[in-house]
């Protein structure tokens, strides 16, 4: 990105900033070695986790500027291919520049990022990093966030040999499959492979022939880090996963360069912060800090999923119970579509007697406490991996329950309400209808009670008082009104007649019991024999622990999973095992054993491989501060950013650039 | 604490069984006599339904017939007399719609738009029919008179309809232009059932009020009257039936029913049987759950059942 300005003494200058590869290509030839030194310094900055930029300038004379300006103006109003023409025009002036210097910006990690990343990984969510930074910066940040662990197996696709990328992908995929197969057969979960790919290689990998290989490779790995990606490529990668993986993608970002990715993903989350509101405005959800993502997903996302599922299933269920009565009556009324219930009751069903309990259930019901949900990310797995079969099972259970209840609602009043007690008078069709309707309202509201996980005053109130009790008050009221108001004539006096007949009340009791006997048995059986995780957590919340009850109940801390006996703890491995399947420009230093703990074939640490830093050159100061470990079970923190600011490394002086703007 | 499922099962069982034992006991007292007469009350020279229809529609034939009923057990008063019709779809939508409640209440001051639903029984020529509609037109018109040992038994036909219907649904208006009052096929009208006495107002015509409360099923009973005396066991009742109503066009059945009632209503075993059935199911399930808890106990809150990453387990993860 550049800007052309005219100073007060008439000189026209072009100032440009950008990534090192872009700027270095455009420098004039006689820089006197400043470029190499700058590159070296930039690499050191990047290792330390800084984000680096190069600044360059160029002085332009008047004539050249005028001709270029006219070309640029023409390009900016071009009717077709405007972007290409503008890029071309800009490219023509951004040449022969003089390097001014290098900037390094510390972009501190927010609080809680490591914990969030760990939680999300435990919840079964795969995390990919797409950044515009350099490779070294991205790796440093990944190590700091615990996305990348020292013990991971790395697949590296960097920029140097673009035409061998397809072949490399092929080889890497085979190897990844082999490793995954070997891993699962030995019973250890969590594949520990990672892919690191740079921008140009990424564009080759996203081509038609290579996409699926790339995607498969990434699926086998735990983490994918893409460096030097442009915003367009971020969106393309997201789309690749979204379309082919059949997984739900969530994109989170905080800057304007993340907008394309946020919009491409299923769920886009913007972090509102220092980089402006562009990401927030384009996103579906906006949060204040990255660590809130854990709460958003594990607590609210999980509850929302369960409540939504419950709401949809329940809505179908309650309408089946109500409406199937009409279908059954059709067989008794000559298929003439006579309605079982009077219209006044039909219209109030979804409006009054079943609406509030549904709303309260689907907005306020919590199956486990929020702290339990946050501490146990494996509970999140209940919302993942929904296949069609499990949907049909769930829907089948609800529909079956609905049909059985509708049978009870229709046939039990049919069989039991005929005469109305001692006065010999008989019931008409609307007596039957109202009796069936009453049974329906009671059963459907009781089903809400069955499905409720957390009983609060509000939920009990809306079910029993607002819905059921007010229905029982409504019925005689409207029976009274039916004597005078024309549209309620069907209901005239029906309520009173029903209330005064003992068989109606006995029928209610019987109907409720019969309807819920299968439901209740089935759910209790499932809970006894194959309990779900959240049910165990509910029991623990209530104070039960391994069969013993104690009074101090509360939320459930992280349930420690006992590892299966006999598995090796892989964390005890030494430093990174890195088998390079890439091309040979990155050299691997042969072993020079420095300590007894290292095996004879020395394995390079990540930092060493990526930076070709020789072991001997790591200064003593660094080792004392823990910046590098040769024998380790993984870098815990590659860089301690707070240390960096307190101990700045001295820069090497270089020759001054040829042209330098003298500030006044 | 979470209530044990066993307790709930036992509770349900108790309720169900206790009620199930009581209900059949109470209903044992209901005594019922049912007599089907639609075939028996037509001379046997008419063999198929078409001839029977002609017989019924002919005004000159003698429609009286005598039947004998035996009382099986002592019947305490009040004994209710019903007529039962079968294969008669009073719950058909067109039929149920075919009335005008406004006209029943307001008589001849209702406009013709309010009686739109009564078509085709809305007008007789140009004049409005009161009460309009198919339900009123098809009023049942068989009559019964009982004698026992030479003495006539009075049937009380007052107070057989719903009180609220008499007061709030039917007004004190007289029938006008009723098609059944005319001889058959005059002005193109058909006789569908009983004729209405133009001197009896609608809210005093209890047969009409009972008939207009449409029944729920194709097999239904309607109250005809009440006998306010006891009938001893093995009494021979002789009924004189005037078999006027045409059920032969649609192969319907007519039955005469005498029944006593209890606090629960007429003879209906369903509630008692259902309670016993549900109760026994509850007992069975309680036993089954008890066995399950005994043989395969699951300690509550046992963390061995918690999910291990990537696996869905119901059994403990590590033994």
């Amino acid at each position: 990105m550049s800007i052309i300005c005219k100073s007060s003494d008439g000189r026209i200058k072009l100032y440009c900033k950008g990534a090192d590869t872009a700027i270095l290509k455009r420098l004039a030839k006689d820089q006197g070695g400043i470029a190499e030194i700058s590159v070296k310094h930039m690499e050191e900055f990047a290792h330390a986790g800084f984000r680096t930029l190069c600044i360059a300038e160029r002085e332009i004379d008047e004539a050249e500027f005028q001709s270029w300006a006219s070309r640029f103006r023409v390009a900016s109003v071009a009717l077709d291919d405007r972007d290409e023409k503008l890029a071309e025009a800009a490219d023509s002036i951004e040449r022969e520049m003089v390097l001014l210097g290098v900037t390094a910006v510390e972009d501190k990690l927010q609080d809680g990022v490591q914990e969030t990343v760990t939680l999300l990984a435990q919840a079964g969510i795969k995390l990919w990093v797409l950044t515009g930074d350099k490779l070294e910066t991205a790796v440093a940040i990944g190590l700091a966030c615990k996305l990348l662990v020292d013990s991971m197996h790395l697949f590296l696709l960097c920029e140097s040999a673009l035409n061998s990328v397809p072949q490399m992908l092929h080889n890497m995929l085979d190897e990844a499959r082999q490793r995954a197969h070997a891993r699962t057969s030995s019973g250890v979960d969590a594949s520990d492979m990672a892919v690191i790919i740079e921008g140009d290689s990424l564009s080759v990998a996203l081509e038609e022939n290579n996409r699926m290989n790339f995607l498969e490779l990434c699926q086998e790995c735990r983490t994918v880090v893409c460096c030097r990606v442009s915003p367009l490529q971020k969106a393309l990668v997201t789309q690749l996963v979204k379309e082919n993986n059949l997984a739900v993608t969530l994109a989170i970002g905080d800057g304007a360069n993340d907008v394309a990715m946020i919009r491409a993903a299923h769920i886009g989350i913007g972090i509102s912060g220092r980089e402006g509101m562009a990401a927030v405005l384009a996103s579906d959800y906006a949060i204040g800090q990255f660590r809130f993502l854990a709460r958003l997903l594990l607590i609210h996302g999980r509850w929302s999923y369960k409540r939504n599922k419950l709401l949809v299933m329940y809505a179908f269920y309650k309408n089946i119970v109500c409406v199937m009565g009409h279908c059954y009556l059709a067989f008794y009324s000559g298929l003439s579509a006579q309605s079982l219930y009077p219209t006044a009751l039909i219209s109030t069903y979804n409006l009054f007697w079943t609406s509030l309990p549904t709303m309260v259930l689907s907005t306020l019901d919590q199956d486990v406490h929020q702290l339990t949900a946050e501490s146990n990310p494996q509970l999140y797995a209940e919302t993942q991996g929904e296949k069609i079969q499990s949907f049909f099972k769930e829907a089948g259970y609800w529909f079956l329950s609905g049909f059985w209840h509708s049978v009870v609602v229709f046939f039990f009043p049919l069989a039991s309400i005929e005469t109305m007690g001692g006065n010999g008078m008989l019931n008409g069709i609307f007596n039957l209808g109202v009796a069936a309707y009453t049974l329906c309202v009671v059963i459907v509201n009781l089903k809400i009670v069955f499905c409720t996980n957390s009983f609060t005053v509000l939920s009990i109130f809306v079910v029993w008082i607002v819905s059921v009790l007010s229905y029982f008050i409504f019925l005689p009221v409207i029976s009274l009104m039916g004597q005078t108001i024309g549209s309620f004539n069907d209901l005239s006096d029906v309520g009173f007649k029903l209330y005064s007949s003992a068989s109606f009340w006995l029928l209610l009791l019987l109907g409720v019991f019969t309807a819920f006997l299968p439901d209740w048995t089935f759910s209790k059986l499932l809970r006894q024999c194959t309990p779900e995780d959240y049910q165990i957590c509910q029991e623990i919340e209530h104070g039960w622990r391994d069969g013993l009850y104690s009074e101090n109940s509360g939320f459930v801390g992280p349930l420690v999973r006992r590892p299966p006996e006999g598995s090796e703890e892989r964390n005890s491995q030494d430093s990174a095992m890195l088998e390079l399947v890439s091309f040979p420009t990155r050299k691997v230093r042969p072993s020079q054993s420095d300590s007894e703990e290292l095996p004879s074939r020395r394995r390079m640490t990540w930092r060493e491989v990526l930076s070709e830093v020789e072991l001997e050159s790591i200064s003593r100061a660094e080792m004392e501060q823990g910046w590098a470990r040769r024998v380790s079970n993984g870098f815990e923190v590659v860089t301690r950013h707070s240390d960096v600011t307190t101990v700045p490394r001295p820069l090497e002086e270089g020759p001054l650039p040829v042209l330098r703007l003298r500030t006044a | 604490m979470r209530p044990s499922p066993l307790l709930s099962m036992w509770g349900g069982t108790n309720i169900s069984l206790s009620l199930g034992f009581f209900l059949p006991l109470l209903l044992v007292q209901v005594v019922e006599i049912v007599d089907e007469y639609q075939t028996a009350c037509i001379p046997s020279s008419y063999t198929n339904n078409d001839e029977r229809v002609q017989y019924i529609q002919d005004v000159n034939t003698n429609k009286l017939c005598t039947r004998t009923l035996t009382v099986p057990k002592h019947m305490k008063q009040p004994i209710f007399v019903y007529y039962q019709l079968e294969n008669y779809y009073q719950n058909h939508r067109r039929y149920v719609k075919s009335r005008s409640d406004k006209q029943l209440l307001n008589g001849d001051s209702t406009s013709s738009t309010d009686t739109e639903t009564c078509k085709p029984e809305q007008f007789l020529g140009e004049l409005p029919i009161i009460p309009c509609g198919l339900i009123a037109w098809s009023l049942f018109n068989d009559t019964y008179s009982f004698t026992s040992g030479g003495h006539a038994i009075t049937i009380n036909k007052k107070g057989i309809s719903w009180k609220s219907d008499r007061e709030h649904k039917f007004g004190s208006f007289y029938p006008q232009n009723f098609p059944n009052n005319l001889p058959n096929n005059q002005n193109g009208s058909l006789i569908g059932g009983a004729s209405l006495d133009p001197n009896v107002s609608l809210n005093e015509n209890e047969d009409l009020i009972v008939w207009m409360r449409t029944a729920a099923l194709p097999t239904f009973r309607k109250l005809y009257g009440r006998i306010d005396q006891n009938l001893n066991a093995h009494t021979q009742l002789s009924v004189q039936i005037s078999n006027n109503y045409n059920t032969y066009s649609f192969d319907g059945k007519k039955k005469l029913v005498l029944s006593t009632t209890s606090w629960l209503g007429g003879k209906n075993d369903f509630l008692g049987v259902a309670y016993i059935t549900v109760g026994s199911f509850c007992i069975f399930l309680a036993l089954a759950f008890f066995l399950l808890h005994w043989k395969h106990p699951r300690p509550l809150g046992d963390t061995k059942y918690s999910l291990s990453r990537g696996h869905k387990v119901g059994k403990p993860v590590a033994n």
Side-chain angles (χ1 to χ4, degrees):
Chain A
M1 180 196 147
S2 348
I3 146 182
I4 300 181
C5 25
K6 193 176 202 172
S7 62
S8 46
D9 51 352
R11 295 208 293 195
I12 301 177
K13 293 273 183 103
L14 165 86
Y15 293 99
C16 184
K17 79 162 170 72
D20 51 347
T21 47
I23 296 287
L24 291 175
K25 281 198 299 232
R26 300 171 197 272
L27 291 181
K29 290 294 175 253
D30 51 345
Q31 296 286 320
I34 182 83
E36 288 79 18
I37 299 175
S38 302
V39 164
K40 183 152 159 290
H41 288 165
M42 271 201 295
E43 282 189 16
E44 287 168 8
F45 286 145
H47 279 305
F50 293 108
R51 306 174 73 170
T52 57
L53 277 180
C54 288
I55 315 256
E57 71 162 0
R58 180 182 173 212
E59 178 151 2
I60 313 173
D61 55 353
E62 185 73 32
E64 192 187 346
F65 174 69
Q66 289 299 342
S67 74
W68 177 84
S70 59
R71 268 187 290 137
F72 191 75
R73 217 173 292 126
V74 165
S76 64
V77 296
L79 288 175
D80 22 52
D81 291 338
R82 186 183 300 178
D83 292 331
E84 280 87 351
K85 291 196 177 126
L86 278 176
E88 213 179 318
D91 195 52
S92 65
I93 195 96
E94 286 169 353
R95 295 175 294 111
E96 307 295 323
M97 294 192 288
V98 172
L99 185 65
L100 278 181
V102 164
T103 63
V105 173
E106 180 189 6
D107 202 359
K108 273 194 174 172
L109 273 185
Q110 291 181 348
D111 297 331
V113 171
Q114 291 100 327
E115 288 83 9
T116 309
V117 165
T118 319
L119 273 179
L120 292 180
Q122 284 175 347
I125 299 173
K126 286 198 172 159
L127 278 154
W128 294 21
V129 178
L130 304 162
T131 173
D133 297 330
K134 288 157 65 78
L135 177 67
E136 292 83 359
T137 313
V139 166
I141 302 224
L143 287 165
C145 298
K146 299 199 182 184
L147 272 172
L148 301 170
V149 183
D150 199 32
S151 58
M152 275 179 155
H153 180 84
L154 170 69
F155 294 114
L156 182 62
L157 286 153
C158 42
E159 283 180 332
S160 310
L162 289 179
N163 34 2
S164 60
V165 165
Q167 183 56 37
M168 277 164 55
L169 275 178
H170 203 74
N171 297 341
M172 286 180 184
L173 182 57
D174 288 335
E175 186 186 342
R177 283 188 189 138
Q178 278 172 12
R179 292 179 76 93
H181 185 72
R183 195 153 297 116
T184 48
S185 53
S186 70
V188 180
D189 56 27
S191 76
D192 51 359
M193 296 183 274
V195 168
I196 302 192
I197 184 165
E198 287 198 273
D200 293 340
S201 316
L202 184 62
S203 32
V204 175
L206 287 177
E207 284 166 13
E208 285 303 319
N209 325 338
N210 307 324
R211 292 171 72 121
M212 298 315 295
N213 280 348
F214 176 61
L215 187 62
E216 267 201 66
L217 177 64
C218 293
Q219 270 178 285
E220 299 283 348
C221 300
R222 193 166 89 175
T223 308
V224 174
V225 177
C226 307
C227 334
R228 292 204 194 279
V229 257
S230 65
L232 177 62
Q233 278 175 326
K234 288 185 188 177
L236 286 175
V237 169
T238 317
Q239 269 169 9
L240 175 70
V241 178
K242 187 173 157 183
E243 287 155 14
N244 296 309
N245 213 1
L246 302 177
V248 180
T249 53
L250 181 149
I252 179 165
D254 61 352
N257 54 349
D258 299 319
V259 166
M261 172 176 75
I262 286 176
R263 292 173 65 158
H266 284 113
I267 309 165
I269 297 187
I271 302 184
S272 61
R274 294 168 305 154
E275 300 216 12
M277 301 295 277
V280 166
L281 291 171
S283 62
D284 303 315
Y285 296 93
I287 52 181
Q289 296 185 20
F290 182 81
R291 65 189 167 96
F292 297 156
L293 185 66
R295 275 185 71 91
L296 182 69
L297 290 179
L298 297 180
I299 301 177
H300 298 289
R302 188 172 166 275
W303 279 345
S304 170
Y305 178 89
K306 296 199 127 185
R307 288 167 183 164
N308 256 333
K309 193 160 71 161
L310 196 56
L311 173 68
V312 169
M313 295 296 178
Y314 180 74
F316 277 103
Y317 156 84
K318 70 172 169 161
N319 284 299
I320 287 178
V321 177
C322 182
V323 169
M324 284 308 287
H326 296 293
C327 292
Y328 302 140
L329 183 67
F331 293 104
Y332 288 93
S333 70
L335 295 176
S336 68
Q338 168 63 25
S339 84
L340 183 62
Y341 315 120
T343 47
L345 293 183
I346 296 179
S347 55
T348 52
Y349 182 67
N350 277 315
L351 188 58
F352 291 134
W353 318 124
T354 57
S355 63
L356 272 180
T358 316
M359 285 205 296
V360 167
L361 178 73
S362 56
T363 50
L364 298 177
D365 190 51
Q366 305 175 358
D367 59 342
V368 289
H369 193 265
Q370 53 170 313
L371 293 173
T372 309
E374 200 179 356
S375 324
N376 293 289
Q378 71 266 25
L379 288 176
Y380 192 72
E382 289 165 13
T383 67
Q384 295 173 315
E386 274 280 322
K387 300 190 187 11
I388 281 290
Q389 295 94 319
S390 52
F391 166 73
F392 276 126
K393 242 176 32 177
E394 181 94 25
Y397 158 72
W398 279 93
F399 275 54
L400 217 60
S401 175
F403 279 116
W404 167 243
H405 289 188
S406 71
V407 162
V408 170
V409 155
F410 180 73
F411 286 101
F412 276 47
L414 193 74
S416 57
I417 294 198
E418 251 182 50
T419 55
M420 288 186 299
N423 57 4
M425 289 192 228
L426 290 158
N427 284 310
I429 184 167
F430 292 117
N431 283 62
L432 173 69
V434 171
Y437 188 84
T438 311
L439 192 55
C440 174
V441 165
V442 172
I443 285 182
V444 154
N445 279 306
L446 261 185
K447 183 81 172 175
I448 286 262
V449 171
F450 261 52
C451 295
T452 309
N453 284 306
S454 61
F455 287 99
T456 57
V457 173
L458 186 65
S459 68
I460 296 182
F461 177 74
V462 294
V463 167
W464 294 110
I465 309 295
V466 173
S467 299
V468 175
L469 193 64
S470 51
Y471 170 76
F472 277 102
I473 297 174
F474 166 81
L475 189 57
V477 166
I478 202 166
S479 304
L480 210 56
M481 283 163 60
Q483 294 170 355
T484 45
I485 299 182
S487 35
F488 301 145
N489 256 330
D490 295 337
L491 278 166
S492 159
D493 210 46
V494 166
F496 294 110
K497 287 283 182 293
L498 277 180
Y499 280 13
S500 57
S501 66
S503 50
F504 173 68
W505 298 107
L506 288 174
L507 163 77
L508 272 188
L509 190 62
L510 175 73
V512 159
F513 256 99
T514 318
F516 282 104
L517 215 52
D519 282 49
W520 191 83
T521 314
F522 186 62
S523 71
K524 287 294 173 242
L525 213 59
L526 276 186
R527 195 173 179 129
Q528 168 78 2
C529 301
T530 57
E532 298 266 340
D533 256 19
Y534 73 92
Q535 288 169 337
I536 306 274
C537 286
Q538 281 173 341
E539 289 163 11
I540 299 182
E541 277 175 14
H542 279 98
W544 289 93
R545 191 85 195 206
D546 294 327
L548 303 168
Y549 180 72
S550 64
E551 280 300 325
N552 50 337
S553 55
F555 75 93
V556 182
L559 290 175
V560 175
R561 177 181 69 83
R562 297 182 214 158
E565 272 84 62
S567 76
E568 304 297 327
E569 282 299 325
R570 305 202 79 214
N571 290 341
S572 58
Q573 266 186 3
D574 294 332
S575 28
M577 159 84 99
L578 188 62
E579 294 167 16
L580 291 179
V581 287
S582 63
F583 44 89
T585 52
R586 299 262 183 197
K587 292 185 183 46
V588 177
R589 276 294 171 134
S591 63
Q592 295 182 25
S593 64
D594 296 287
S595 100
E596 313 76 59
E597 286 107 334
L598 285 177
S600 56
R601 175 174 173 255
R602 191 188 151 263
R603 292 171 290 187
M604 300 272 284
T605 64
W606 278 39
R607 294 189 68 216
E608 290 156 4
V609 169
L610 293 174
S611 65
E612 299 178 59
V613 170
E614 301 177 18
L615 263 185
E616 296 86 271
S617 70
I618 297 179
S619 67
R620 193 130 300 268
E622 286 175 283
M623 284 177 70
E624 275 165 358
Q625 286 164 25
W627 278 31
R629 289 201 212 167
R630 287 174 297 153
V631 178
S632 67
N633 51 359
F635 287 120
E636 288 169 353
V637 174
V638 166
T639 60
R640 299 199 182 95
H641 292 280
S642 49
D643 293 341
V644 171
T645 53
T646 54
V647 183
R649 298 187 65 236
L651 291 178
E652 286 184 23
E653 294 284 344
L656 291 175
V658 173
L659 286 170
R660 218 184 170 113
L661 187 67
R662 307 268 176 212
T663 53
Chain B
M1 281 177 61
R2 206 167 58 88
S4 144
L6 281 177
L7 289 177
S8 333
M9 278 295 189
W10 281 119
T13 313
N14 289 338
I15 296 177
S16 303
L17 281 186
S18 49
L19 283 168
F21 278 128
F22 282 126
L23 289 176
L25 291 172
L26 286 160
L27 292 175
V28 151
Q29 304 164 359
V30 172
V31 187
E32 206 180 54
I33 309 171
V34 178
D35 178 46
E36 184 177 331
Y37 65 86
Q38 91 273 4
T39 340
C41 271
I42 288 197
S44 45
S45 53
Y46 298 88
T47 43
N48 63 2
N49 273 345
D50 296 327
E51 294 174 10
R52 294 184 184 128
V53 169
Q54 280 181 345
Y55 169 84
I56 285 287
Q57 287 182 338
D58 191 357
V59 286
N60 299 322
T61 50
N62 176 24
K63 307 247 181 39
L64 292 174
C65 110
T66 312
R67 305 274 297 158
T68 316
L69 308 171
T70 318
V71 177
K73 288 193 203 149
H74 179 76
M75 292 171 86
K76 276 180 57 177
Q77 57 113 353
I79 303 172
F80 294 94
V81 180
Y82 303 96
Y83 53 89
Q84 177 168 323
L85 287 165
E86 293 186 13
N87 204 26
Y88 195 114
Y89 284 83
Q90 258 206 339
N91 55 8
H92 195 283
R93 192 175 62 88
R94 279 288 272 130
Y95 188 89
V96 174
K97 237 177 42 148
S98 179
R99 62 194 283 158
S100 166
D101 290 316
K102 272 206 156 87
Q103 193 199 55
L104 291 174
L105 198 56
N106 297 323
D108 43 10
S109 54
T110 40
S111 59
S112 61
T113 44
D114 288 328
T115 55
E116 276 291 308
T117 48
C118 286
K119 283 199 168 103
E121 297 298 327
Q122 190 188 9
F123 291 114
L124 190 61
E126 294 292 324
L127 306 164
I129 300 176
I130 300 170
C132 71
L134 284 172
I135 309 183
W137 175 77
S138 59
L139 179 59
F140 191 73
N141 57 359
D142 285 5
T143 54
Y144 315 103
S145 56
F146 291 82
T147 50
S148 152
H151 307 288
I153 298 178
T154 46
I155 297 185
N156 187 354
K157 286 182 71 78
K158 285 268 168 266
I160 55 175
S161 56
W162 290 22
K163 186 156 167 293
S164 65
D165 281 358
R166 286 200 298 274
E167 292 172 8
H168 300 283
K169 217 168 188 173
F170 290 78
S172 52
F173 296 97
Y174 296 92
Q176 288 176 23
N177 310 314
F178 199 62
N180 291 343
N181 290 351
L182 303 169
N184 205 0
N185 282 329
Q186 180 176 2
N187 289 353
S189 68
L190 278 176
I191 292 184
S195 54
L196 290 178
D197 188 350
N199 298 323
V200 177
S201 69
L202 292 179
N203 58 355
E204 287 166 17
N205 195 340
E206 302 221 14
D207 281 329
L208 178 69
I209 298 175
V210 167
W211 182 255
M212 288 202 71
R213 193 150 267 283
T214 45
L217 292 175
T219 305
F220 62 91
R221 294 179 186 175
K222 288 210 178 285
L223 190 56
Y224 180 79
R226 205 165 55 233
I227 296 178
D228 288 321
Q229 63 184 80
N230 294 342
L231 291 175
N232 295 322
H234 311 299
T235 321
Q236 295 281 348
L237 284 175
S238 157
V239 192
Q240 191 178 51
I241 304 176
S242 74
N243 186 15
N244 298 320
Y245 200 66
N246 176 18
T247 54
Y248 304 97
S249 317
F250 52 87
D251 210 8
K253 297 199 179 115
K254 290 193 277 191
K255 297 182 181 172
L256 175 65
V257 177
L258 278 87
S259 171
T260 54
T261 55
S262 66
W263 61 277
L264 210 51
K267 191 172 184 64
N268 192 345
D269 306 332
F270 175 75
L271 275 178
V273 169
Y275 265 93
I276 290 189
T277 318
V278 171
S280 10
F281 253 115
C282 284
I283 283 193
F284 166 69
L285 282 172
L287 282 174
F289 267 100
F290 172 68
L291 282 174
L292 190 68
H293 272 273
W294 187 27
K295 290 290 182 196
H296 301 282
R298 173 174 82 81
L300 293 177
D302 191 354
T303 50
K304 286 210 290 279
Y305 283 85
S306 71
L307 190 77
S308 69
R309 274 282 292 117
H311 298 81
K312 203 122 175 99
V313 287
K315 312 231 183 346
V317 174
N319 297 329

